[in-house]
Amino acid sequence: MKPQARLVSVTRVESLSPHLRRIVFSSEQLAGFPHGKEGAHVKVLVPHPGEQFPELAFDAPKPAFKRSYTIRSFDAGSLELTIDFVVNRHEGPATNWASTAKVGDFAAIAGPGAPKLSNYNEDNYLLIGDLTSINAVNGFARYIPRQANLKSIISVPTRADMIAMDAGDHLKIEWHIEDESSQTFEQQVERVAKVMPSDNTQVFFGLEARSVRTIKGILLNDLGYQRMNLFATGYWKKGVDADKFNRQKQQNPL
């Protein structure tokens, strides 16, 4: 059976915030991993409980648990791939693995997939995210021209979850702190979006599925944004596990 993923091991672990845990993977099998894919997603395959290694083939009789995560960075020199995992918000196979992962543990990486945003030649950008897509915002901002009008809104559970971004000084973030804010995230997005040019602003938003639908409606119906300039994806859905949500997205795309 031909392997479909790259076996990697954990080389560093860092707790960034109450709800984000950074894991650095390394392996000789990462040689040839594409450069410049920050913000794109990979599939992370983790072993079943009690097992040391994940199954690398997707069509194996007992495949590994696999979930999509966004690339924070990749160092081709050291062959290190960095991914931030959301923890202490919900349970699931990959989340539970990431919560206790330690140096020397094994996982596997498949991908990367195509980035959701790939047009970096426009004048105006609005990047909207939460903990699950915070590194998509950071990754895309790296490639947006410094002279562009770039705004971002990111929702985090607490002030302690406002992690450092390294995309450059042109990335101006307005944080929505869930346990402090007097307005909803959607209201905050609408307020910021109102001052952006609705006819030529490129908008990325990767969020909870219901929030994606609400914000898409605000941008299209209330503010007159152009559908062709919206790049939206539901990263998760409240109360629905990842496998079921992926099936729902295939049947009813956001």
Side-chain angles (χ1 to χ4, degrees), residues 3 8 12 22 37 45 62 67 86 91 99 147-148 155 163 179 188 198 205 218 227 229 231 238 240 242 244 251:
V8 296
R12 293 196 303 280
R22 177 163 294 171
K37 294 295 184 178
L45 288 70
K62 185 183 177 183
R67 296 291 185 266
V86 178
E91 291 193 359
S99 297
Q147 68 273 17
S155 180
I163 67 170
D179 67 352
Q188 189 169 346
S198 61
F205 44 117
I218 291 170
R227 186 178 297 273
N229 292 335
F231 305 90
K238 188 174 182 179
V240 179
K244 183 177 180 180
Q251 297 168 359

Side-chain angles (χ1 to χ4, degrees), residues 14-245:
E14 178 185 359
S15 292
L16 298 178
S17 79
H19 300 101
L20 281 176
R21 197 163 196 243
R22 177 163 294 171
I23 298 180
V24 180
F25 300 98
S26 184
S27 171
E28 292 298 323
Q29 293 189 19
L30 288 173
F33 189 88
H35 177 69
K37 294 295 184 178
E38 290 83 2
H41 74 276
V42 292
K43 293 289 187 182
V44 178
L45 288 70
V46 301
H48 288 264
E51 297 181 359
Q52 183 179 12
F53 298 100
E55 172 59 62
L56 300 185
F58 287 0
D59 57 353
K62 185 183 177 183
F65 296 114
K66 64 179 185 294
R67 296 291 185 266
S68 295
Y69 287 93
T70 305
I71 299 168
R72 171 71 180 203
S73 64
F74 175 63
D75 187 327
S78 61
L79 297 179
E80 289 185 325
L81 179 70
T82 301
I83 296 175
D84 296 341
F85 292 78
V86 178
V87 296
N88 300 325
R89 293 277 279 177
H90 63 278
E91 291 193 359
T95 300
N96 294 345
W97 179 88
S99 297
T100 59
K102 60 187 183 302
V103 172
D105 285 353
F106 290 94
I109 301 294
K116 194 69 177 177
L117 183 67
S118 58
N119 178 3
Y120 302 118
N121 299 309
E122 303 300 328
D123 295 326
N124 302 286
Y125 292 86
L126 176 59
L127 308 180
I128 307 167
D130 61 14
L131 282 184
T132 63
S133 57
I134 194 168
N135 282 329
V137 171
N138 187 71
F140 297 153
R142 289 178 180 225
Y143 302 104
I144 292 174
R146 296 300 189 265
Q147 68 273 17
N149 176 24
L150 169 60
K151 297 184 184 299
S152 178
I153 312 164
I154 300 176
S155 180
V156 292
T158 70
R159 186 170 293 274
D161 291 302
M162 296 166 53
I163 67 170
M165 309 288 265
D166 61 5
D169 294 340
H170 67 309
L171 175 58
K172 307 299 183 185
I173 301 173
E174 184 171 310
W175 298 91
H176 175 86
I177 304 172
E178 295 170 13
D179 67 352
E180 296 182 16
S181 181
S182 60
Q183 61 180 179
T184 68
F185 183 54
E186 291 78 9
Q187 289 171 334
Q188 189 169 346
V189 168
E190 182 174 11
R191 175 175 54 77
V192 174
K194 277 182 177 178
V195 303
M196 302 287 288
S198 61
D199 58 340
N200 69 346
T201 295
Q202 304 284 302
V203 186
F204 163 80
F205 44 117
L207 303 162
E208 194 275 334
R210 296 178 183 89
S211 187
V212 167
R213 292 190 185 279
T214 299
I215 289 173
K216 182 180 284 188
I218 291 170
L219 295 175
L220 291 175
N221 303 325
D222 299 341
L223 301 182
Y225 274 67
Q226 304 299 303
R227 186 178 297 273
M228 65 181 181
N229 292 335
L230 304 187
F231 305 90
T233 184
Y235 274 57
W236 58 289
K237 187 173 184 178
K238 188 174 182 179
V240 179
D241 69 59
D243 292 326
K244 183 177 180 180
F245 178 45

